[in-house]
Structures are given as C-alpha cells and as structure tokens.
Amino acid sequence: MNGMHGIIFSYEKKTGLRELIEHRVHGSIPFAGDYRVVDFILSNMVNAGITDVGVIMHGKCQSMLDHLGSGKNWDLSRKNGGLTLLPAFAYTERRGGPAQFRGRMEALGCVSDYLAHIRQEYVVLCDSDLVINLPLQDVLQTHVESGADMTAVCTSRPGDSGDTYFQLDDTGRVTDTAGNLPEPAGFRSLNIFVLRTELLLALVEDCAAHSEYSLRRDVLQKRGTTLHIHGYVWDGYAARINTIQKYYSRSMELLRPEMRAELFRPDRPIYGKENDAPSSYIDPSGQCVNSLIADGCDIQGSVKNSILFRGVRVEPGAQVEGCVLFKGTVVKRGAILRNIIADKYVTVKENGTLMGHEAYPLVIARGTEV
C-alpha cells in the first residue's frame, strides 16, 4: 500500500553507548555483522512501498551521510523524491538558532519547507535507533480503518522507566501518555507514528507558534485529549539500542536461529550497503563455531559464539569467544578475547588477553592498539 512519506530522526541522545557513539550517531552503529541500525527502519519503509524518505540529522552525522549516500542501496536514488538528507542544525543556524534541536517537533519545524512539499497523504515518523522488521503497510491500513488522527506503534513488552508508555482502552485508543515512570506500566512506545500530512503540518505550525518542541509532552500529552490517538500493538522483535549492555545482548541473541528468523524475513528483506568484499576464508587448521561472519574475513584462529564484521582478521593461535568485532579489526597470534566489543580498525597485539563479562562487556574504542 502506497501513500506514505517517511521521516527518520537521526540525532545524538544521552545514552549509555559511550565509545560506540564517539564518532557516530546511534543509527549508524554497526549491527548484525553486515548492517547499520538505520538499515532496519529504512528497509521497513521501502518494503511498505515508500519511495520518499527524509532523514533529519544533527550531531556526528558524517558516518550516517557516508552510509546512506544517495540511497541507491534502498532503491531511493530517484529524480523525483527518493532519499533526502536534512541537516536540521544548518536550518536552525541559518535562522539564528542553536546548532541542534531540542525535540522532534522543533526538528520538524526546522525543515518545514521540506514538509510543505510532501506529495503523499500520510507521513510515518520514526527514530533511527530501532532494530525492527515491522509491516508498515499494516500499520497504515489499521490507521485508516480506525479513523484515528494518529497511530502510535507500541509493544506490551516492558522497557526502561524513561521510555514513553501508553494506556489503551478496549478499542485501542490511547487514554494516557506517561514517561519517566518509577516502574514501567502499560504499552511501551516504539516511537513510530502515522498521521496525515496536513495534520502534521498543522501540529508543527502550532508548536512553533507556542515555542513548543517536544513530541511526547506537547503533542501526545498536551493534545492527547483532543486528538484521537490509536495504539498499534507490535509484540514482534523490536530492539532499541541505547546502552552497551543492550547492544551486546541484542547482538548475541542473533546467534539463535529463531531470533534471526524473526528479524530477517524473506517477505520483508533487510537491505544494507552494497558489499564488494571477497568471500571470507576459514583456514582448515582454525575453527568457526556458532558465529555470524561477514564477507572479507580471514579466520585462521578460533572463533566461537561471535559476530565478525567485514574485513576482520584472526591470526593463527588467537581465540575469540563471545565477541563483536567491527570492520577491520585484527586479532594477532596467540591473543585471547572474551566478551569484547571492538570498534573499527582495532588491533589486538600478539599474546594479549582481554576479558569482559556477559553483563558488562569490554569496549575497545575505534582505531585502538591494545
């Protein structure tokens, strides 16, 4: 089903991802061996027939810009529409404002000229830091059939107390919106919203006129009594990557076939950046057990229960177990790694030993030699 326009928010957040966001925003964090986190929501949009997507960015966005490029890998490189990259801070600076936006409504206000030229009747708003495989066409159909002003995708699975939570009545209508609860209660928001383009423009204009900038506080809560907001409950795979522990546990669970089958579905494929690396090589004297290995790896040591991105090299005698190694990582002879997350181009010296824990993995910053 067509008729939707995609808006993705890609911005810096105060989270516990530490070294993983020193050089990038949340959406461009590598995930699942051959993808970035933003690939999932972008693929959801493409699979729903969306041909026009705007990505609103601020912060360390160079990695995101390099990854998305023209949008060709998602069939979004088009003469009319397609992928549009929107550096919101450039718009605010031009108007004499701060170099970043405080909330989603302010970000939308910064690109109001872009919004005014949207061709589609409906808009879907999403964050870039959610790993999900959602049938967005079903969300739109439910939205239309419910007659709601806005549909909010949520889940009954609990999350953090700082998340947004909805209370739903028997018809699925949102009756209350809350955040920063002492204990999670209700349906947790996945920060995916569908609404008419004309309503979005009206809300953006009204919020700007009243110096309001928060989607949760100024729209969902303040205007929730006048707007008909409907909840679409999704209890399938949905992982928000906002701490090192969550990144590690969500990565490790993909080593289970049933979890991969839930996220990577043949009817809704996940698209990523083109890979022109050669096939990986596993030396007969080495071993690779229960691991996800991207192309271009050279494995001559032992790799168990791990995820290796493109171009990782594990030299003879090296042991890697329970690790996530980003692109270009080199583990030299005799080194031992347990429960490690290594960012891009890390080198582990010969006979070195690095040990983390499943509950607190050790993170090695990009380009480090240890």
Side-chain angles (χ1 to χ4, degrees), residues 26-271:
H26 296 65
S28 59
I29 294 175
F31 188 77
D34 206 26
Y35 302 92
R36 302 293 181 102
V37 173
V38 72
D39 293 345
F40 293 86
I41 198 64
L42 195 55
S43 297
N44 291 181
M45 291 182 174
V46 172
N47 291 332
I50 295 176
T51 58
D52 295 354
V53 178
V55 183
I56 304 178
M57 300 177 291
H58 85 64
K60 308 180 187 76
C61 59
Q62 187 60 53
S63 177
M64 181 69 78
L65 290 169
D66 292 342
H67 179 68
L68 295 178
S70 67
K72 177 182 177 182
N73 296 297
W74 300 268
D75 193 28
L76 292 173
S77 179
R78 300 166 180 263
K79 290 184 179 179
N80 297 313
L83 181 69
T84 304
L85 304 177
L86 302 166
F89 55 84
Y91 291 82
T92 54
E93 286 180 330
R94 187 175 63 193
R95 299 179 181 181
Q100 63 182 31
F101 53 82
R102 294 169 293 175
R104 295 178 183 86
M105 298 311 295
E106 184 173 65
L108 292 167
C110 292
V111 296
S112 57
D113 292 344
Y114 172 83
L115 300 179
H117 291 90
I118 289 178
R119 304 176 293 173
Q120 291 78 11
E121 183 178 1
Y122 297 94
V123 176
V124 55
L125 308 176
C126 309
D127 283 351
S128 66
D129 62 347
L130 181 67
V131 178
I132 191 172
N133 194 334
L134 177 71
L136 276 175
Q137 67 273 24
D138 291 347
V139 180
L140 176 58
Q141 183 174 348
T142 300
H143 173 73
V144 173
E145 292 174 351
S146 69
D149 296 310
M150 177 187 294
T151 293
V153 181
C154 53
T155 178
S156 63
R157 297 181 178 180
D160 300 324
S161 59
D163 292 332
T164 300
Y165 286 87
F166 301 125
Q167 296 295 328
L168 307 181
D169 64 16
D170 294 339
T171 67
R173 182 166 183 168
V174 175
T175 58
D176 186 48
T177 302
N180 300 314
L181 297 172
E183 293 292 335
F187 294 84
R188 175 168 55 94
S189 174
L190 296 179
N191 293 334
I192 300 174
F193 305 93
V194 175
L195 68 165
R196 285 185 180 272
T197 303
E198 61 182 1
L199 175 59
L200 177 64
L201 291 170
L203 289 172
V204 170
E205 183 179 350
D206 194 39
C207 285
H210 293 88
S211 299
E212 297 169 336
Y213 56 84
S214 170
L215 176 62
R216 180 171 75 181
R217 185 186 65 239
D218 300 318
V219 175
L220 300 177
Q221 293 179 328
K222 186 174 181 180
R223 293 168 172 82
T225 55
T226 57
L227 292 174
H228 176 186
I229 303 176
H230 187 82
Y232 179 96
V233 180
W234 171 258
D235 283 338
Y237 190 99
R240 188 167 304 284
I241 307 301
N242 55 14
T243 67
I244 292 293
Q245 289 78 10
K246 283 188 177 180
Y247 176 83
Y248 181 79
S249 62
R250 288 299 199 174
S251 296
M252 290 296 104
E253 71 183 9
L254 292 180
L255 298 178
R256 294 157 48 192
E258 66 274 15
M259 298 302 294
R260 293 198 302 274
E262 187 175 353
L263 182 60
F264 297 99
R265 297 171 54 101
D267 57 330
R268 297 196 300 270
I270 302 300
Y271 306 98

